[in-house]
Amino acid sequence: MTTSLLLEIGIEEIPAVPFLKELPNIPKKFHALLKQYRLDCEFDFFYTPRRLVILSQNFKKEQEAQILEFFGPPSKIAYDNEGNPTKAALSFFQKCGISKEEATLATKDGKEVLYCKKEAKSLSSFELLEQIVCEFLKSLEFGKTMRWGEEKEAFIRPIRSILALLDDKLVPICAYGVQSKTYTFVHRSISYEPKEVQNLQDYLKTLQENCIILNPKEREEKILKEIKDIEAKNNIKVELDQELLEEIIAITEYPTALFGEFEERFLEIPTPCIITSMKVNQRYFATYKEEALYNGFIVVSNSLAKDFSNIIQGNAKVLRARLEDALFFYHNDLKNGLNPESLKSVTFIEGLGSMWDKTQKEREIVKILSEAFKARLIETYQDFGLVQEILDQASLLSKADLMSEMVYEFTELQGIMGYYYAKAARYDERVAIAIKEQYLPNSEESAMPSNLISALIALSYKLDNLLGLFSIHKIPTGSKDPFALRRAANGIIKIILHFNLNFDLKVILLKLKHLYSEFDITLLENFILERLESTLPFNPSLIRAVLSSKEHDLLLVFLKLNALNSALESQDKNALTQTFKRLSNITKDVDLESSLEIIEEKLTASEEIELFNALKNYQTQEIAKEDYQKRLELLLSFAPILDRFFDKVLVNAPDEIFKNNRKHLIAKIYKEFLEIADIKEISF
């Protein structure tokens, strides 16, 4: 039987950022508890900044039935010679909550053991709800928490009320010093007093009539509709930042989108500064007209005012003060210019010197990278000498904006402000762009550097972080990665593949190793290669198979993977891989580095002659070294020939010459595969 459930946890305003990080887990955690307590059902989770709400129209009235089985000690141990229960049996009876007479015998793993089968007691959800709610609240992880009053338990913000109605009856719950009651709170512009509610329908009606939009999707729809109306009325376009929108939804109960303006003179400030100032400090949306930033903004109010003019003016006044500061910082920074030597006073990380030292290492790295990719740079830019100058200048200036007043105020603008200051100082456009793009890609969905020069600057930044931190033993462990080194490794892989660069990891890391304190470079090499599984969309066993072939060039790893995955896609993968895995098993005691001589006269069986001819035909084919697709297609076509060979030919023949001949033939085919992937690693 089912009934309705209304659970509302009333809280003081929850900060949006930590709440949104935990938000995806909240319904999952409640659902897990319902399953644990055998009350699994469908429910809806809603929230406003002052409440967490769970609603269900089909909440179970009592736990689902459950049959419990208990297996005890062997009967020989359970009873003595006179048939009396031993301590082992008595312990089993106590564990099962049964008497001696209720126990039976059963066979388990070929032994006769004590056995008990019983139906678990089904408790009512009314009895269990308090325990579930307390466990649910304690399971939520918001980062920083607080205590209040005399309460010893901590939560993200003080809990002020609990409303729990099951079948329209109040469920007694006491959590965090708060006793459940039949009331809720409405919009503060209407009343600070609690409102009595009788049932679920009454609750929903009370919220609706008192300007609480419980469903966050409805709040989002209201905001977006009003923004669309503002756009049409003012002939502007609003930049809808999804992250900001989610934050605003989380901090409002009855949102109203409003349009305000600021003085045009502030548009002198670089666009990212204005947008960042509006978003970070004020939670405003930026507006555009004719594809240029417009001196307008959208603020979303939680007020129920009839006249919003004072709210708009107040927000414009606050923004004006912010932009005055930004304009002041910008002019000062332009006056001071980019001065990388000032980075000598800024520590990078203890043990790795200053930011100036980091800059010098990155300059060395980019010089080595430019030599490694010299042919590609000449092909793209023609003048290699000029490209080297641009790379060195971009690398030297890359961190200089960290000393600017604007980046001190808005750290997220590092690199971006360097771009504007480099342009103002009339540096080559490619220098400015490289400074802006040096941190890319910096997230899962991030854009990539837009050109090869920027890509090399970004690579040097990421490589220095990895080499430097590994050299002082700051290596990520488990889920801990305080310096985002996994992201840096992912970024290197993505850049290499995006620009199709041959990047032999072993060779390049060895060339860079001398810039750092001595450490085992293979640790870093393996760390980067391990990131392939999380970066590339392939079966992990295929990645392991390709890496087992001793390939260290990241681009070639990808090309081999792509070919291997494609070649296996249209085939019976399991049958195919089993056939080829036999090659590995048969040749495990063969030295693959030896000459693997085959005496043709000793090939007597028609199947081994057929296999030998197929191998000769493959080896005489004119196939480009990196045409892995063609090479794999031909190698995989050996499958039916190999099956016939394995069925008809005795590899481990009594005659040593015949045995070695056949093993060498199999080993030669296996070696051809090993140039692409180690087939024994593949599994599906």
Side-chain angles (χ1 to χ4, degrees):
M1 290 182 65
T2 61
T3 186
S4 64
L5 169 71
L6 160 59
L7 174 64
E8 180 195 74
I9 310 298
I11 316 169
E12 289 188 10
E13 271 86 354
I14 308 171
V17 174
F19 172 74
L20 289 170
K21 284 180 183 174
E22 179 68 355
L23 178 58
N25 303 320
I26 296 176
K28 290 178 188 174
K29 288 181 175 180
F30 191 75
H31 185 244
L33 280 167
L34 292 185
K35 286 186 78 171
Q36 179 187 322
Y37 281 90
R38 309 194 331 259
L39 292 170
D40 194 4
C41 70
E42 291 184 355
F43 63 88
D44 292 311
F45 171 70
F46 301 114
Y47 63 89
T48 77
R50 296 196 297 146
R51 71 201 78 225
L52 307 178
V53 179
I54 288 166
L55 305 178
S56 177
Q57 296 284 7
N58 297 291
F59 200 77
K60 286 183 170 64
K61 284 192 172 184
E62 64 177 23
Q63 291 176 304
E64 293 174 353
Q66 184 182 37
I67 302 299
L68 302 175
E69 284 188 295
F70 301 93
F71 292 91
S75 54
K76 291 180 181 179
I77 299 172
Y79 298 99
D80 60 22
N81 294 333
E82 297 175 3
N84 296 315
T86 62
K87 279 187 177 180
L90 292 172
S91 175
F92 177 71
F93 301 153
Q94 185 178 5
K95 173 186 170 184
C96 300
I98 58 172
S99 64
K100 171 187 172 183
E101 290 73 23
E102 291 176 283
T104 58
L105 296 173
T107 302
K108 185 181 182 186
D109 299 330
K111 295 180 182 177
E112 189 179 63
V113 298
L114 286 182
Y115 175 71
C116 171
K117 183 178 181 180
K118 58 190 286 191
E119 187 173 331
K121 184 180 178 183
S122 290
L123 299 174
S124 73
S125 52
F126 197 88
E127 296 174 79
L128 294 167
L129 204 55
E130 180 176 38
Q131 194 171 343
I132 292 170
V133 170
C134 289
E135 285 186 40
F136 169 61
L137 292 174
K138 285 175 184 174
S139 74
L140 302 182
E141 297 173 7
F142 298 107
K144 288 185 179 179
T145 57
M146 61 183 292
R147 294 185 179 88
W148 60 96
E150 297 180 1
E151 184 56 38
K152 292 181 181 178
E153 297 285 351
F155 201 62
I156 185 170
R157 286 292 183 270
I159 293 174
R160 295 306 186 195
S161 66
I162 299 174
L163 170 61
L165 297 179
L166 191 64
D167 202 13
D168 297 340
K169 293 174 188 169
L170 178 68
V171 182
I173 295 175
C174 185
Y176 293 83
V178 177
Q179 186 67 47
S180 60
K181 293 182 181 175
T182 55
Y183 62 70
T184 186
F185 289 90
V186 298
H187 199 291
R188 286 197 174 125
S189 294
I190 293 175
S191 175
Y192 283 86
E193 298 303 314
K195 295 275 187 181
E196 189 78 22
V197 293
Q198 304 299 321
N199 51 49
L200 176 55
Q201 287 69 34
D202 187 29
Y203 171 77
L204 295 173
K205 184 182 176 186
T206 299
L207 294 189
Q208 186 177 15
E209 290 177 349
N210 290 276
C211 297
I212 302 292
I213 302 176
L214 184 60
N215 190 334
K217 283 289 176 193
E218 291 178 15
R219 297 201 295 277
E220 180 180 11
E221 287 167 9
K222 185 176 188 296
I223 293 167
L224 293 177
K225 181 186 178 301
E226 290 172 354
I227 286 177
K228 192 170 278 190
D229 292 342
I230 290 169
E231 285 179 323
K233 183 180 177 181
N234 296 278
N235 192 28
I236 57 170
K237 187 70 182 170
V238 177
E239 183 179 63
L240 283 172
D241 183 305
Q242 189 59 36
E243 186 181 280
L244 178 57
L245 179 61
E246 288 170 5
E247 195 173 330
I248 289 169
I249 291 165
I251 61 170
T252 55
E253 292 185 314
Y254 193 84
T256 301
L258 308 170
F259 176 63
E261 293 179 305
F262 57 87
E263 293 95 320
E264 281 189 57
R265 65 188 177 91
F266 291 122
L267 293 176
E268 176 192 348
I269 305 167
T271 296
C273 304
I274 299 175
I275 293 173
T276 302
S277 184
M278 289 198 289
K279 177 185 172 181
V280 174
N281 295 128
Q282 305 302 127
R283 295 196 181 101
Y284 298 162
F285 292 104
T287 64
Y288 290 81
K289 186 172 280 193
E290 296 174 1
E291 297 186 3
L293 186 69
Y294 180 66
N295 59 309
F297 62 90
I298 301 288
V299 57
V300 180
S301 171
N302 194 41
S303 171
L304 301 181
K306 290 180 180 177
D307 180 2
F308 288 99
S309 57
N310 287 337
I311 292 173
I312 294 169
Q313 288 169 16
N315 279 277
K317 185 178 179 181
V318 173
L319 178 59
R320 187 182 304 116
R322 297 282 185 190
L323 295 179
E324 286 283 12
D325 288 344
L327 189 61
F328 177 76
F329 297 151
Y330 180 56
H331 285 157
N332 273 2
D333 290 340
L334 287 175
K335 195 190 309 174
N336 296 328
L338 292 171
N339 178 19
E341 292 205 12
S342 61
L343 293 167
K344 291 177 180 177
S345 62
V346 180
T347 302
F348 170 39
I349 289 169
E350 191 176 346
L352 292 176
S354 66
M355 287 302 298
W356 169 256
D357 297 324
K358 176 173 173 58
T359 299
Q360 297 313 301
K361 283 196 179 75
E362 288 185 23
R363 290 174 77 187
E364 287 299 314
I365 292 171
V366 86
K367 193 181 296 180
I368 292 166
L369 291 180
S370 68
E371 289 294 339
F373 302 120
K374 182 175 181 178
R376 182 69 178 276
L377 288 166
I378 292 171
E379 179 191 338
T380 308
Y381 300 105
Q382 285 80 53
D383 190 336
F384 183 62
L386 176 61
V387 167
Q388 282 192 307
E389 286 178 27
I390 289 170
L391 284 167
D392 186 60
Q393 197 166 60
S395 193
L396 174 64
L397 297 172
S398 61
K399 310 296 180 296
D401 68 348
L402 295 177
M403 301 305 290
S404 69
E405 293 184 47
M406 192 69 85
V407 173
Y408 181 83
E409 182 72 16
F410 300 111
T411 54
E412 57 267 60
L413 293 178
Q414 57 188 286
I416 295 170
M417 292 315 303
Y419 163 78
Y420 284 99
Y421 298 146
K423 282 193 72 173
R426 299 181 182 277
Y427 285 104
D428 188 297
E429 177 76 9
R430 289 166 292 188
V431 170
I433 291 172
I435 293 170
K436 180 171 68 172
E437 297 180 347
Q438 64 182 298
Y439 303 108
L440 299 179
N442 52 15
S443 69
E444 195 67 34
E445 305 300 323
S446 167
M448 300 295 291
S450 62
N451 60 66
L452 190 53
I453 288 173
S454 294
L456 295 191
I457 296 296
L459 281 173
S460 68
Y461 167 71
K462 290 169 173 55
L463 284 166
D464 176 65
N465 285 353
L466 286 161
L467 284 154
L469 286 153
F470 267 69
S471 74
I472 59 170
H473 311 295
K474 301 285 187 184
I475 302 172
T477 55
S479 61
K480 293 182 179 177
D481 187 10
F483 300 104
L485 296 186
R486 291 189 182 99
R487 188 168 67 194
N490 289 348
I492 288 170
I493 294 166
K494 288 178 179 179
I495 290 171
I496 295 306
L497 300 186
H498 183 77
F499 286 91
N500 290 309
L501 298 173
N502 283 104
F503 193 92
D504 191 312
L505 200 53
K506 184 181 283 293
V507 171
I508 287 178
L509 290 181
L510 284 172
K511 284 182 178 178
L512 302 177
K513 185 182 175 184
H514 71 279
L515 298 170
Y516 303 88
S517 303
E518 184 64 32
F519 75 100
D520 184 357
I521 203 75
T522 58
L523 287 175
L524 177 53
E525 184 185 339
N526 291 334
F527 176 80
I528 295 172
L529 292 175
E530 283 166 11
R531 303 312 302 157
L532 290 169
E533 287 193 24
S534 61
T535 308
L536 303 181
F538 297 107
N539 180 320
S541 76
L542 298 186
I543 297 174
R544 289 192 292 273
V546 171
L547 293 179
S548 295
S549 71
K550 310 301 180 190
E551 183 60 75
H552 299 98
D553 187 312
L554 295 177
L555 179 61
L556 296 187
V557 167
F558 175 76
L559 294 175
K560 288 180 178 183
L561 275 167
N562 211 31
L564 187 58
N565 187 62
S566 178
L568 291 171
E569 245 172 13
S570 59
Q571 315 241 11
D572 182 344
K573 299 183 185 70
N574 290 318
L576 202 64
T577 52
Q578 286 309 312
T579 295
F580 285 103
K581 280 180 183 180
R582 292 182 73 177
L583 301 178
S584 169
N585 294 332
I586 290 169
T587 58
K588 60 187 174 187
D589 58 346
V590 176
D591 180 7
L592 297 177
E593 300 306 315
S594 65
S595 62
L596 299 175
E597 182 185 359
I598 296 172
I599 305 169
E600 286 191 55
E601 307 87 72
K602 296 294 182 180
L603 299 171
T604 57
S606 61
E607 290 80 12
E608 64 182 329
I609 293 170
E610 181 187 17
L611 187 59
F612 177 73
N613 289 333
L615 175 61
K616 273 207 315 186
N617 179 56
Y618 171 80
Q619 290 175 331
T620 56
Q621 294 269 346
E622 291 187 8
I623 310 170
K625 186 177 185 301
E626 293 180 11
D627 189 353
Y628 303 118
Q629 187 79 40
K630 183 66 175 172
R631 289 167 66 184
L632 277 167
E633 283 173 7
L634 289 170
L635 285 171
L636 291 173
S637 71
F638 282 29
I641 308 172
L642 281 166
D643 287 337
R644 288 194 291 275
F645 174 85
F646 290 136
D647 286 343
K648 303 291 183 182
V649 179
L650 179 64
V651 176
N652 288 313
D655 186 299
E656 197 71 18
I657 294 174
F658 279 97
K659 182 174 76 171
N660 289 337
N661 223 31
R662 288 165 183 170
K663 281 197 171 185
H664 287 176
L665 174 57
I666 296 299
K668 277 180 174 285
I669 296 169
Y670 183 46
K671 274 190 76 173
E672 295 293 347
F673 249 106
L674 268 179
E675 289 189 10
I676 301 171
D678 189 346
I679 46 181
K680 73 175 183 293
E681 297 292 333
I682 300 173
S683 60
F684 292 95

